């Protein structure tokens, strides 16, 4: 019990901080406090940084220790010169970008890089940098300064945080970063050309690769020498070809990554923006696209939604040349539905009676009575309210008619 209580007390005794608020979260996500990083040499190194050093060391060894010494003259001297310049420039540029502190001037003037950063309280400030003041570094900064959450400091003209260099790339070390990127791309490209030349000549003309004096003591073409001329080590043709294949694959992968990154930064230079600005613009475009899609979805939902109050719609299609007729109802209102049904029913009855009257199928007394009723209906004129109701019926029926006050019959224009 004492040990458990002691561990809990140790957990609560730690200081916490948050470098930036999380979007869409109302809680303070606190992490253990730590001092800011000075540059790329700060401990501990990143995994990508170690991988980069190992790849650079391997390519340097196989270039100047195995493949360039096998080249015939004068290509050997040309390769030594060009690749030597590329690898040396990359080495010094790489060291420079790691050594230079990219922090803002006010941070470098105040920061000792030995004390932990203070706690960031989101309830008091919405962002780490607000109104050109960093509440973690406690300094006033410029408009292009960003507080890096990994390095835990404000970086001047922030571009991005590079995991391969284990430091931020900003205004103070961007030129060294770009120079290291260009030199690495050129060096890897030249190495691929040299290895492919050795690989092809091994099958076409192996004697052109055995011009070094040390090959005079080697019998047979199946034995090759590495690390000429200082420390010759014998190897077989299979070993040389397998090593060439591995080197070409690794160099091609590096060339694709480096050329893509170089092309991207050339594009940013052409646009006059930084990597951070590009990321912000892409996020804004994605947010705008989501808003547009959400707006279209809302409009489509409203369009497909059935209206609650729909006007009366009656489609009456009586056939004047036939004995049968049909009425179509499209309204669910009880009153208008009953009214329309009554109208169409009377219209059907009248058409039947009309046909009987015309063809003489009724007796004379019924014909006389029906003719008097038709004359009375012709002479009747509706008032204002009944005129509005009649107008409504006319607007929804395909065959207009006149309704009497009792709604007992309908006269078509042909009968009036």
């Amino acid at each position: 019990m004492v040990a458990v209580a002691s561990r809990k007390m140790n957990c609560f005794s730690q200081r916490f901080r948050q470098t930036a608020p999380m979007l869409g979260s109302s809680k303070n996500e606190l992490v253990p406090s730590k001092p800011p990083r000075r540059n790329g040499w700060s401990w501990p190194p990143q995994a990508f940084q170690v991988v980069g050093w190992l790849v650079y060391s391997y390519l340097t060894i196989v270039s100047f220790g195995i493949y360039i010494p096998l080249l015939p003259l004068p290509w050997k001297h040309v390769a030594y010169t060009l690749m030597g310049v590329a690898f040396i420039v990359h080495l010094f540029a790489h060291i420079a970008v790691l050594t230079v502190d990219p922090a803002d001037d006010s941070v470098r003037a105040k920061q000792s890089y030995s004390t932990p950063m203070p706690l960031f309280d989101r309830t008091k400030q919405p962002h780490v940098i607000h109104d050109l003041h960093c509440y973690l570094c406690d300094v006033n900064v410029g408009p292009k300064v960003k507080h890096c959450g990994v390095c835990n400091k404000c970086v001047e003209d922030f571009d991005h945080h590079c995991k391969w260099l284990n430091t931020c790339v900003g205004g103070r070390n961007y030129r060294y970063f770009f120079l290291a990127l260009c030199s690495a791309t050129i060096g890897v490209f030249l190495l691929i050309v040299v290895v492919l030349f050795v690989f092809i000549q091994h099958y076409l003309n192996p004697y052109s690769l055995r011009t070094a004096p040390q090959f005079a003591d080697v019998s047979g073409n199946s034995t090759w020498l590495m690390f000429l001329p200082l420390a010759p080590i014998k190897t077989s043709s299979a070993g040389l070809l397998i090593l060439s294949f591995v080197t070409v694959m690794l160099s091609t992968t590096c060339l694709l990554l480096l050329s893509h990154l170089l092309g991207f930064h050339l594009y940013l230079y052409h646009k006059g923006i930084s990597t951070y600005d590009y990321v912000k613009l892409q996020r804004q475009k994605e947010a705008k696209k989501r808003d547009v899609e959400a707006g279209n979805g809302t409009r489509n939902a409203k369009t497909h939604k059935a209206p609650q109050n729909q006007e009366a719609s009656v489609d009456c299609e009586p056939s004047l040349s036939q004995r049968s007729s049909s009425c179509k109802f499209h309204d669910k209102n009880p009153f208008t539905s009953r009214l329309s049904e009554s109208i169409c029913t009377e219209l059907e009855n009248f058409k039947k009676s009309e046909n009987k009257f015309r063809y003489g199928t009724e007796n004379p007394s019924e014909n006389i009575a029906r003719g008097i009723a038709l004359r009375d209906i012709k002479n009747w004129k509706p008032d204002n309210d009944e005129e509005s109701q009649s107008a409504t019926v006319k607007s929804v029926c395909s065959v207009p008619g006149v309704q009497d006050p009792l709604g007992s019959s309908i006269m078509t224009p042909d009968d009036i």
Side-chain angles (χ1 to χ4, degrees), residues 382-395:
D383 53 7
N384 294 332
D385 295 335
E386 294 167 341
E387 287 178 358
S388 61
Q389 295 178 359
S390 177
T392 303
V393 175
K394 289 180 180 180
S395 63

Side-chain angles (χ1 to χ4, degrees), residues 3-65:
V4 175
S6 177
R7 285 196 296 270
K8 290 183 178 180
M9 292 178 65
N10 291 335
C11 292
F12 285 108
S13 64
Q14 293 183 359
R15 299 180 61 187
F16 297 94
R17 67 170 179 83
Q18 180 181 0
T19 58
M22 301 298 294
L23 295 177
S25 176
S26 60
K27 298 180 180 180
N28 286 332
E29 304 228 355
L30 304 177
V31 296
S33 180
K34 63 179 181 180
R37 302 177 61 90
R38 181 183 295 273
N39 49 34
W41 301 107
S42 299
W43 197 262
Q46 295 288 335
F48 287 99
Q49 185 180 18
V50 176
V51 171
W53 289 343
L54 294 177
V55 171
Y56 177 81
S57 301
Y58 171 80
L59 296 182
T60 303
I61 292 173
V62 298
S63 299
F64 297 95

Side-chain angles (χ1 to χ4, degrees), residues 93-111:
H94 190 98
I95 294 175
V97 72
L98 292 180
T99 307
V100 174
D101 185 4
D104 188 66
D105 294 337
S106 57
V107 175
R108 288 185 287 107
K110 177 185 178 181
Q111 188 62 256

Side-chain angles (χ1 to χ4, degrees), residues 7 83 108 118 151 156 159 261 268 310 331 387:
R7 285 196 296 270
M83 295 188 64
R108 288 185 287 107
C151 295
E156 179 183 357
D159 187 84
L261 185 60
L268 296 179
Q310 188 179 9
D331 185 29
E387 287 178 358

Side-chain angles (χ1 to χ4, degrees), residues 144-164:
K144 293 185 178 181
V145 174
K146 181 186 178 298
H147 189 96
C148 177
V150 180
C151 295
N152 200 17
K153 62 183 178 182
C154 289
V155 179
E156 179 183 357
D157 293 335
F158 179 83
D159 187 84
H160 70 283
H161 180 86
C162 183
K163 295 181 179 180
W164 297 94

